[in-house]
């Protein structure tokens, strides 16, 4: 299937590893030019070289901390200087720390806002005018199954990702007539460094083995296993495509059936 994004420019946040890197690789495989954005400059430089060599596309590594407004805006300026605009924006960052409500002070909430919501606002505000001018664009936010079914001890993530969902659903109504779609993709338990960190925290608090945390998750998932990043990235690539031009304002889970609700 030709997704129709060859030559498009994709900005992928948090793309030094995990879901972000898998998405960047998948979009490049479909012929998109890709901007890799993360704090680990050495890692994204190495990954950019590998992706460019494999898929013969332009890949720009940009070291930035998207939770810092000045750093995010510097990244935007560099991308606009290099490519002139972005067609596909994938808003993605790492997750805030786990913990119950009472362990997080005001600063922790503010950091979570900067990381998850403000970063998406800054990047979308920067690239949306160009999308409207070209009358084509894709804004895809990587959120979480926690938006649909809150996960214990992830109150910061549950709350801020829900805010991103409300922002995206409203924005979809505002920009649909310009040929721009806005969607959220909700990863379930997927084999990433973030999941390994959560498993280690659960094991430490419960006094048991990390493998037990994975086994518990796998029992809850109808498919009986955690997901792999390329499985998630395949859906993001489709939502970024010409084929998905009539899909907007949605939140789609990639969770092996973990969410139990009907809608």
């Amino acid at each position: 299937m030709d997704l129709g994004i060859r030559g498009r420019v994709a900005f992928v946040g948090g793309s030094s590893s995990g879901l972000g890197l898998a998405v960047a690789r998948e979009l490049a495989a479909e012929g998109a030019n890709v901007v890799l954005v993360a704090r680990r400059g050495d890692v994204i430089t190495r990954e950019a070289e590998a992706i460019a060599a494999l898929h013969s596309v332009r890949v720009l590594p940009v070291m930035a901390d998207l939770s810092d407004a000045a750093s995010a805006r510097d990244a935007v300026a560099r991308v606009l200087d290099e490519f002139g605009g972005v067609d596909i924006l994938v808003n993605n960052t790492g997750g805030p720390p786990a913990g119950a409500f009472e362990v997080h002070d005001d600063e922790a909430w503010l950091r979570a806002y900067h990381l998850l919501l403000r970063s998406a606002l800054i990047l979308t505000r920067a690239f949306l005018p160009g999308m409207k001018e070209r009358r084509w664009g894709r804004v895809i936010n990587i959120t979480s199954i926690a938006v649909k079914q809150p996960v214990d001890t992830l109150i910061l993530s549950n709350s801020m990702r829900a805010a991103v969902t409300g922002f995206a659903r409203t924005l979809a109504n505002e920009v649909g007539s310009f040929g721009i779609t806005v969607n959220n993709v909700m990863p379930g338990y997927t084999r990433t460094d973030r999941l390994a960190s959560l498993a280690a925290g659960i094991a430490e608090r419960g006094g048991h083995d990390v493998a037990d945390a994975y086994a518990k998750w796998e029992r809850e998932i109808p498919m009986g296993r955690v997901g792999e990043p390329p499985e998630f990235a395949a859906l993001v690539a489709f939502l970024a495509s010409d084929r998905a031009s009539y899909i907007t304002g949605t939140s789609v889970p990639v969770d092996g059936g973990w969410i139990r609700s009907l809608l």
Side-chain angles (χ1 to χ4, degrees):
M1 180 187 295
D2 182 3
L3 296 184
I5 58 174
R6 184 167 301 279
R8 299 284 189 185
V9 177
F11 180 111
V12 184
S15 47
S16 60
S17 63
L19 299 179
L21 179 57
V23 167
R25 288 171 173 169
E26 190 75 12
L27 293 173
E30 293 296 332
N33 301 309
V34 180
V35 181
L36 301 182
V37 186
R39 290 173 297 179
R40 295 184 292 172
D42 57 335
V43 175
I44 56 173
T45 297
R46 183 174 64 248
E47 292 293 346
E49 292 172 353
I51 292 170
L54 182 60
H55 299 297
S56 300
V57 296
R58 293 174 65 192
V59 185
L60 176 67
V62 177
M63 186 173 69
D65 179 356
L66 295 179
S67 70
D68 178 83
S71 183
R73 292 186 177 110
D74 285 345
V76 166
R78 185 172 175 195
V79 172
L80 291 177
D81 183 62
E82 184 76 18
F83 288 105
V86 163
D87 303 298
I88 301 162
L89 171 60
V90 181
N91 285 314
N92 176 56
T93 61
F101 172 70
E102 291 180 326
V103 307
H104 298 302
D105 60 15
D106 288 348
E107 286 302 313
W109 281 92
L110 189 59
R111 286 192 297 270
Y113 159 71
H114 290 165
L115 179 67
L116 296 178
L117 179 56
R118 189 179 66 170
S119 63
L121 300 178
I122 289 172
L123 296 176
T124 305
R125 184 179 293 115
F127 296 129
L128 193 62
M131 294 180 184
K132 292 174 75 173
E133 182 178 338
R134 293 185 295 275
R135 303 193 71 83
W136 197 99
R138 303 288 184 263
V139 178
I140 301 169
N141 306 297
I142 297 180
T143 59
S144 169
I145 51 173
V147 168
K148 194 83 168 178
Q149 187 172 312
V151 176
D152 291 345
T153 78
L154 295 186
I155 192 166
L156 295 177
S157 179
N158 295 346
S159 302
M160 293 301 164
R161 295 192 196 278
V164 172
T165 302
F167 152 70
R169 184 63 192 86
T170 309
L171 182 65
N173 294 343
E174 297 181 5
V175 301
S177 62
F178 293 92
I180 301 168
T181 67
V182 185
N183 292 292
N184 309 304
V185 185
M186 303 182 290
Y189 293 104
T190 310
R191 199 178 305 280
T192 62
D193 292 343
R194 166 73 167 169
L195 191 67
S197 176
L198 291 175
I202 291 170
E204 182 178 352
R205 290 190 297 272
H208 51 70
D209 193 84
V210 167
D212 294 333
Y214 279 91
K216 177 181 180 295
W217 291 328
E218 289 167 351
R219 287 193 299 270
E220 295 173 352
I221 299 168
M223 294 197 74
R225 62 178 178 84
V226 299
E228 300 295 338
E231 295 176 303
F232 176 86
L235 176 61
V236 176
F238 178 73
L239 290 174
S241 75
D242 271 339
R243 296 294 187 109
S245 59
Y246 203 58
I247 302 172
T248 194
T250 65
S251 290
V252 186
V254 184
D255 65 350
W258 182 83
I259 295 174
R260 305 294 177 162
S261 64
L262 293 177
L263 299 174

